[in-house]
Amino acid sequence: MATLPVATLPEATPLTKIALPPHADYIHIIGNMSEDSGYLPEPKGFSTKAIHSATNPDKWDSMCVVPPLVLSTTFKQPAPGQIKEFKYGRGGNPSRNVLEGSLRALEDAEYALTFASGLGALTALISCHSRGDHFVVGDDMYGGNFRLLDKVGKNLGIDVSIVDASNLDTVKNAIKPNTKLVFIETPTNPLLKVFDIRAIAEIAKNNGALFCVDNTFLTPYFQRPLELGADLSSYSLTKYMNGHTDVIMGAIVTNNKDLHDKLRFLQNTMGIIPGPFDCTLVTRSLKTLALRMRQHNSNALAVAKFLEAHPRVLQVLHPGLESHPHHALMKKQTSGHSGIMSMYIDGGRQEAENFLKELKVFILAESLGGYESLAEIPSIMTHASIPEEMRKELKITDNMIRLSVGLEDPEDLISDLKHALDVM
Ligand SMILES: Cc1ncc(COP(=O)(O)O)c(C=O)c1O
């Protein structure tokens, strides 16, 4: 047998010492939060599942490694009424099935369903209930979730109590005989409060109510509500799960078959479905979820530590900081934090607007969870639909800035923030 040529590699050049960037003190590249600090371990095999589950090439005649994007809205029946796998695209589609399979695998759950948006997912959940049912909902939530519960849910006859779920007695006291659902976001938006998932799950269970955690901020990579006792985890996939700021979509993941069957019925019946192209994009994005979340985590922690030391910043809200009042709870129920944080700057609305105007890397825009860094004023943007009184009580004031720290180089993010704070 002929010997194949081999490449001769050049001698390795000795490593030169790299000069550290200006704000290196704040920059910790953390591979595994659990190693340094008593967080829960990161989920085992997460990336392998993200890359290989539900996308097996053997499933397709073409053996394609990337699952096909199937746009067809209808599917041939071998004989009238005989369905091979799919009938009509609203009820199911191969590209959507692949994504729902991946979501299921990432949470080690039995069922996952996708919806037209995060609000579409909550719409389906509300629609599983009827007039006269009561919900207990954690305060400090995405303005759109509040608007849907307050303007649509209440209109349909659902009684909604909004409580500070960091006080477990308040949650217990809010329960009524007709309480059917406890719903929280944790960490919360935009105050980054952390609610005790295990304890609230127990309260819900003892009172025969379902418990849903909106896990948009942390994804199943950092927080696993079903394993902590929740019945459902819901998502705006629009955020970290897709992570590329080019899809609006939602999902609900559960192990409860009855609930899944109801939600599946509503997904089709109410027509709150995502399109196949978007499903393909999210399936692609999930392959890099763990990598992205680790980088969001380390970038945001670097930014938070920098901000905490800046004289024009009054307070930084980031549950990974030791100064955060819920830091210990955060470690008990998560394996890290994402790129979302808030801060109060020294000043009012004018200073907040000046600050935003000076930013060059952070983009002034709503939303979060993409690779790009964003900044906004919740009181007049994402949370404008929360009544003024409630905003005042929660301290969502005009000098609060919410940041979604992206995947750029952390020293560039810190320089950008430093400049804007110094001149605002
Ligand atoms: C925590 C949270 N849940 C739900 C939603 C709603 O998701 P969507 O915009 O995909 O409808 C958002 C949107 O910002 C959110 O931040």
Side-chain angles (χ1 to χ4, degrees):
M1 203 172 26
T3 313
L4 294 172
V6 293
T8 319
L9 297 177
E11 285 288 305
T13 38
L15 283 178
T16 46
K17 256 202 153 160
I18 299 166
L20 288 172
H23 307 295
D25 283 358
Y26 305 108
I27 299 167
H28 302 237
I29 304 303
I30 296 165
N32 184 341
M33 292 289 295
S34 55
E35 266 172 21
D36 88 310
S37 47
Y39 276 81
L40 291 180
E42 289 164 20
K44 262 209 154 101
F46 190 90
S47 284
T48 308
K49 280 182 205 155
I51 290 166
H52 293 292
S53 64
T55 56
N56 181 358
D58 294 337
K59 223 163 85 177
W60 315 100
D61 286 346
S62 70
M63 306 288 265
C64 51
V65 171
V66 176
L69 162 58
V70 178
L71 294 171
S72 185
T73 55
T74 191
F75 298 84
K76 182 177 170 183
Q77 304 189 4
Q82 255 185 42
I83 316 296
K84 203 170 162 208
E85 192 177 353
F86 300 98
K87 181 166 74 167
Y88 180 60
R90 183 164 19 78
N93 159 289
S95 303
R96 191 166 99 204
N97 260 22
V98 168
L99 172 58
E100 291 176 345
S102 288
L103 292 169
R104 215 165 43 228
L106 288 185
E107 209 143 338
D108 295 310
E110 297 283 328
Y111 311 102
L113 291 167
T114 50
F115 297 90
S117 65
L119 288 183
L122 183 55
T123 298
L125 189 54
I126 292 172
S127 306
C128 289
H129 295 87
S130 357
R131 177 170 291 278
D133 286 349
H134 174 244
F135 293 177
V136 175
V137 178
D139 68 358
D140 187 35
M141 70 189 102
Y142 167 56
N145 279 350
F146 174 82
R147 188 177 51 206
L148 180 55
L149 288 161
D150 187 54
K151 296 277 186 279
V152 181
K154 282 187 181 170
N155 224 16
L156 294 172
I158 308 275
D159 179 18
V160 181
S161 301
I162 295 181
V163 300
D164 178 0
S166 45
N167 182 338
L168 296 174
D169 284 336
T170 312
V171 179
K172 270 186 216 157
N173 293 337
I175 300 274
K176 299 181 186 179
N178 57 338
T179 303
K180 293 286 164 41
L181 177 72
V182 179
F183 178 87
I184 60 164
E185 295 176 24
T186 180
T188 65
N189 184 358
L191 290 159
L192 284 304
K193 291 198 275 189
V194 182
F195 296 149
D196 189 333
I197 297 178
R198 289 186 189 90
I200 297 172
E202 205 171 309
I203 297 172
K205 200 167 167 193
N206 291 342
N207 290 282
L210 292 170
F211 177 36
C212 178
V213 175
D214 181 327
N215 200 30
T216 299
F217 272 19
L218 294 192
T219 81
Y221 184 64
F222 280 145
Q223 179 168 272
R224 305 177 66 76
L226 301 184
E227 289 167 17
L228 296 169
D231 299 291
L232 307 119
S233 15
S234 66
Y235 293 93
S236 168
L237 299 179
T238 315
K239 310 299 188 304
Y240 290 103
M241 298 287 263
N242 182 53
H244 293 68
T245 322
D246 50 12
V247 171
I248 290 186
M249 200 188 294
I252 295 183
V253 183
T254 185
N255 288 318
N256 180 324
K257 184 173 183 333
D258 282 352
L259 211 50
H260 163 262
D261 291 348
K262 272 188 201 165
L263 289 164
R264 190 181 236 316
F265 170 80
L266 292 166
Q267 179 197 41
N268 180 36
T269 303
M270 300 177 83
I272 30 179
I273 53 153
F277 182 64
D278 284 355
C279 290
T280 295
L281 287 178
V282 180
T283 297
R284 172 236 26 204
S285 297
L286 291 177
K287 313 289 180 203
T288 56
L289 180 63
L291 280 174
R292 289 186 285 106
M293 293 310 284
R294 280 191 214 122
Q295 195 62 38
H296 282 295
N297 182 350
S298 94
N299 279 8
L301 207 50
V303 164
K305 287 184 175 172
F306 160 75
L307 292 173
E308 208 169 36
H310 196 284
R312 301 294 312 270
V313 176
L314 303 179
Q315 191 184 2
V316 180
L317 304 174
H318 181 303
L321 290 175
E322 283 181 13
S323 59
H324 192 286
H326 303 156
H327 180 61
L329 173 60
M330 185 70 184
K331 286 197 208 171
K332 267 174 52 185
Q333 67 181 26
T334 76
S335 36
H337 184 62
S338 60
I340 190 86
M341 73 176 74
S342 299
M343 63 170 162
Y344 293 99
I345 56 160
D346 175 18
R349 166 95 172 254
Q350 190 56 56
E351 285 73 16
E353 289 194 20
N354 295 346
F355 168 79
L356 293 172
K357 215 181 285 167
E358 288 296 333
L359 293 171
K360 306 278 184 300
V361 180
F362 280 80
I363 299 167
L364 168 59
E366 298 195 359
S367 202
L368 59 112
Y371 49 69
E372 75 295 325
S373 291
L374 303 176
E376 63 127 359
I377 307 177
S379 65
I380 52 169
M381 295 172 68
T382 45
H383 290 68
S385 52
I386 306 267
E388 197 179 339
E389 259 320 289
M390 193 171 159
R391 269 191 269 126
K392 222 188 228 170
E393 211 171 292
L394 289 168
K395 301 202 170 50
I396 303 175
T397 48
D398 289 351
N399 66 333
M400 172 190 265
I401 308 271
R402 193 185 76 178
L403 300 176
S404 170
V405 177
L407 303 177
E408 300 93 337
D409 299 301
E411 59 270 28
D412 292 333
L413 297 175
I414 289 172
S415 296
D416 196 35
L417 294 165
K418 181 175 184 327
H419 163 78
L421 285 168
D422 288 347
V423 305
M424 73 186 184

